[in-house]
Amino acid sequence: MAFQETIKFIQDKFKSKDFIPLHAPVFIGNERKYVMDTLDSTFVSSVGAYVDLAEKIMAEISQTKKAVAVVNGTSGLQIALQLAGVKTGDEVITQALTFVATANAIKYNGAEPIFLDVDYETMGLSPKAVSEFLEEYGEKRESGTYNKRTGKRIAACLPMHTFGFPVHIDELLEVCNAWNIPLVEDAAESLGSYYKGKHTGGLGKLGVFSFNGNKIVTSGGGGMIVTNDVDLGIVGKHLTTTAKVPHAYEFYHDQLGYNFRMPNINAALICAQLEQLDRFLINKRKLADGYAEFFKTQGLTFRQELENTKANYWLMCLELENLEERDAFLKVTNEANTMTRPIWQLMYRLPMYQDCFRDGQKNAEYLEERIVNIPSSVRV
């Protein structure tokens, strides 16, 4: 395939024949006003009104009771897993088809990832794969579920809503609850995505969002932990602010904490961005609808949301016929200044995770050879 019609269609959609990025930030609201307000106030660090406001807004959006602003999504995942009870020597069930931060957050807690297959249709962790693994290797004890093969405790399950497409979260929760394993959602990519009317991130014990520069809304960096367990959220806030006990002037820290606080200047930026979230989501959905109609004429599969879900279409996906066609598509589009990217290499192909347990990975390996992301920015 020449793919020239695809390149022309994308250039027309973005009204550019210059470089078209995969996902660029858009600042067309109160960003400058709010950031300048923090400069004028001199509260640019981790204390300030915009941090509190960002947490309030995110709790409302995610339909949760408590939100904790952090410096990035990866640190949020690290703390969320710790809050869920993950300790050194434990294991955490997750997917190999993910961005590396998912696996890294497990390792930062001294735990080991168990890589299980994804569902073809969601590209996220498969409830069937989790159930089959636990039926074969799981052993229920008073102190939790243990892996009969390794003797280690399976302390959590960490699915990721890939590119903003929700996993089969109800089924995953059913399996995890049956085995008394807490579920933490890696919702880094799914701000604005819903499963059966409920926002992703708020369905498990905890959820974590990212505000990296390439996300739907951005604070430059930044992330947010959300939960319906208020007490757990309070502990999370304490841990991420160096575990400092409040006092007018004394410095006393009652446990090992982390300097993972979101600065007020970044919070100002995310508050302005969050005000425009609905507008951005509508804009991106129009782009997705246009892509879907076009790729039907090209005989290419454009990934769309499933029934009972609402995807945010963060990064839009094409499924190519095979690895050869995928590589040809990537070469031609990038040479034409149209940025496209393959889905991630599976985690067990990376040197630091090559010895971790994995199942057959039939769907993950199929998708790894075929899925590409195409330009998905909000168009202005």
Side-chain angles (χ1 to χ4, degrees), residues 111-164:
E112 290 292 320
I114 296 170
F115 294 123
L116 302 184
D117 205 2
V118 296
D119 285 320
Y120 165 77
E121 66 272 17
T122 68
M123 300 181 285
L125 187 62
S126 167
K128 183 173 182 289
V130 175
S131 181
E132 288 177 351
F133 171 82
L134 290 170
E135 288 295 335
E136 182 171 359
Y137 295 106
E139 180 181 75
K140 294 179 184 178
R141 303 180 190 171
E142 280 190 23
S143 53
T145 294
Y146 285 75
N147 186 335
K148 289 187 288 190
R149 185 181 65 89
T150 63
K152 295 182 177 180
R153 186 172 69 108
I154 303 172
C157 177
L158 182 62
M160 200 266 280
H161 300 291
T162 306
F163 303 133

Side-chain angles (χ1 to χ4, degrees), residues 316-334:
M316 302 182 201
C317 306
L318 276 182
E319 181 181 325
L320 282 304
E321 187 66 29
N322 51 44
L323 181 61
E324 183 180 11
E325 187 179 62
R326 185 205 78 166
D327 288 347
F329 180 87
L330 291 168
K331 184 175 188 296
V332 170
T333 51
N334 281 284

Side-chain angles (χ1 to χ4, degrees), residues 232-251:
L232 206 58
I234 291 170
V235 175
K237 184 72 171 179
H238 184 60
L239 285 175
T240 56
T241 52
T242 67
K244 183 180 182 294
V245 177
H247 192 278
Y249 50 84
E250 291 283 2
F251 286 88

Side-chain angles (χ1 to χ4, degrees), residues 17-154:
K17 291 189 177 180
D18 297 325
F19 176 69
I20 300 173
L22 199 62
H23 200 289
V26 173
F27 304 117
I28 52 176
N30 288 313
E31 291 87 355
R32 185 177 297 275
K33 176 184 176 183
Y34 293 174
V35 169
M36 290 305 298
D37 184 41
T38 64
L39 297 181
D40 291 340
S41 74
T42 74
F43 285 95
V44 297
S45 191
S46 57
V47 176
Y50 285 108
V51 174
D52 298 336
L53 180 58
E55 291 176 339
K56 180 177 181 294
I57 293 171
M58 275 302 299
E60 291 172 354
I61 290 173
S62 63
Q63 303 167 342
T64 55
K65 295 177 181 177
K66 181 69 175 176
V68 178
V70 288
V71 70
N72 53 49
T74 308
S75 63
L77 284 173
Q78 180 181 342
I79 295 300
L81 288 171
Q82 188 171 328
L83 293 170
V86 176
K87 296 180 174 61
T88 298
D90 287 340
E91 294 177 339
V92 175
I93 293 171
T94 192
Q95 58 202 70
L97 188 70
T98 186
F99 181 59
V100 71
T102 310
N104 285 351
I106 295 169
K107 273 291 207 179
Y108 294 156
N109 281 291
E112 290 292 320
I114 296 170
F115 294 123
L116 302 184
D117 205 2
V118 296
D119 285 320
Y120 165 77
E121 66 272 17
T122 68
M123 300 181 285
L125 187 62
S126 167
K128 183 173 182 289
V130 175
S131 181
E132 288 177 351
F133 171 82
L134 290 170
E135 288 295 335
E136 182 171 359
Y137 295 106
E139 180 181 75
K140 294 179 184 178
R141 303 180 190 171
E142 280 190 23
S143 53
T145 294
Y146 285 75
N147 186 335
K148 289 187 288 190
R149 185 181 65 89
T150 63
K152 295 182 177 180
R153 186 172 69 108
I154 303 172

Side-chain angles (χ1 to χ4, degrees), residues 247-276:
H247 192 278
Y249 50 84
E250 291 283 2
F251 286 88
Y252 179 73
H253 307 260
D254 60 1
Q255 57 184 302
L256 179 64
Y258 305 84
N259 189 11
F260 287 168
R261 303 168 290 187
M262 178 189 286
N264 196 44
I265 194 168
N266 296 86
L269 187 57
I270 201 61
C271 286
Q273 288 268 286
L274 288 169
E275 289 176 350
Q276 302 167 86

